Amino acid sequence: DVKVTQSSRYLVKRTGEKVFLECVQDMDHENMFWYRQDPGLGLRLIYFSYDVKMKEKGDIPEGYSVSREKKERFSLILESASTNQTSMYLCASRAGTGNQPQHFGDGTRLSIL
Amino acid sequence: RKEVEQDPGPFNVPEGATVAFNCTYSNSASQSFFWYRQDCRKEPKLLMSVYSSGNEDGRFTAQLNRASQYISLLIRDSKLSDSATYLCVVNGLADTGRRALTFGSGTRLQVQP
């Protein structure tokens, strides 16, 4: 079974803080993704990575950056947290081709005060 | 127009009922299709892939209509445990392995005793 692990289940931070969300997968997947999910808006793609040190912007990258230094780890960074970044953040990974499904971590519920 | 559209519901059905959800997608080049299930405050989990010829997994049947650009999910003999949000998922580009899947906002199902 694919295991995608997110470092925190719940996180509370203050406006202006730099926030790191970590995600690790154990299946040697090439592709990793960060989404946020908000009521009524569904899942929205922030960034994804198809290889180490490679990244591409998703649909809503503003205010975020990512890091993929090792294949198994994909980090999402909120450069200066704002209250509108309060959300559920979901990491996913997928094997090489687009025909494969994504596997999600448990999610991090982030609150910015 | 959204890339993937679903009726948000909720669909309230009695136990034992048959219920069907449809989902339409806008990109005719889409290559792969999935149904995910998401329980409240949990991560999405793969329910089943959708194949061109249609496929069945126990009480669940998925079908794809490329001409009309929709996929469907049929649940027979509904159980209380089927209560969840069902996400329609589409790979919008040709299979490059470099694109994330596009998620619908989900259809909520509530099975009642």
Side-chain angles (χ1 to χ4, degrees), chain A residues 2-113:
Chain A
V2 177
K3 184 70 177 171
V4 180
T5 304
Q6 293 184 230
S7 53
S8 305
R9 197 69 195 272
Y10 299 95
L11 206 55
V12 180
K13 295 290 182 182
R14 296 203 175 275
T15 302
E17 279 193 70
K18 193 168 184 175
V19 182
F20 293 85
L21 301 183
E22 305 287 347
C23 175
V24 177
Q25 50 94 5
D26 66 355
M27 285 300 292
D28 202 36
H29 284 170
E30 292 85 351
N31 305 289
M32 296 187 75
F33 310 87
W34 275 106
Y35 294 87
R36 62 178 282 179
Q37 187 174 31
D38 301 287
L41 296 176
L43 278 155
R44 292 183 291 167
L45 180 66
I46 304 171
Y47 265 98
F48 65 104
S49 168
Y50 51 87
D51 203 352
V52 175
K53 296 193 187 294
M54 307 302 284
K55 61 185 179 185
E56 282 197 28
K57 293 180 180 179
D59 300 317
I60 51 162
E62 296 78 20
Y64 302 94
S65 62
V66 289
S67 172
R68 184 109 182 259
E69 295 297 317
K70 293 184 179 181
K71 192 174 186 179
E72 67 270 19
R73 185 180 295 271
F74 192 35
S75 304
L76 179 69
I77 303 149
L78 284 65
E79 298 291 344
S80 176
S82 62
T83 54
N84 63 11
Q85 292 178 310
T86 292
S87 186
M88 168 72 108
Y89 288 87
L90 287 155
C91 174
S93 76
R94 189 185 77 206
T97 70
N99 288 330
Q100 298 299 313
Q102 291 179 351
H103 301 272
F104 285 87
D106 290 342
T108 296
R109 193 165 289 278
L110 175 65
S111 296
I112 307 296
L113 304 179

Side-chain angles (χ1 to χ4, degrees), chain B residues 70-82:
Chain B
Y70 76 83
I71 68 173
S72 63
L73 177 68
L74 182 79
I75 306 175
R76 288 182 298 279
D77 188 23
S78 300
K79 312 287 185 195
L80 294 176
S81 57
D82 294 334

Side-chain angles (χ1 to χ4, degrees), chain B residues 56-75:
Chain B
E56 192 173 302
D57 182 1
R59 297 181 293 109
F60 298 85
T61 301
Q63 292 198 311
L64 167 64
N65 185 320
R66 284 193 185 274
S68 301
Q69 292 181 212
Y70 76 83
I71 68 173
S72 63
L73 177 68
L74 182 79
I75 306 175

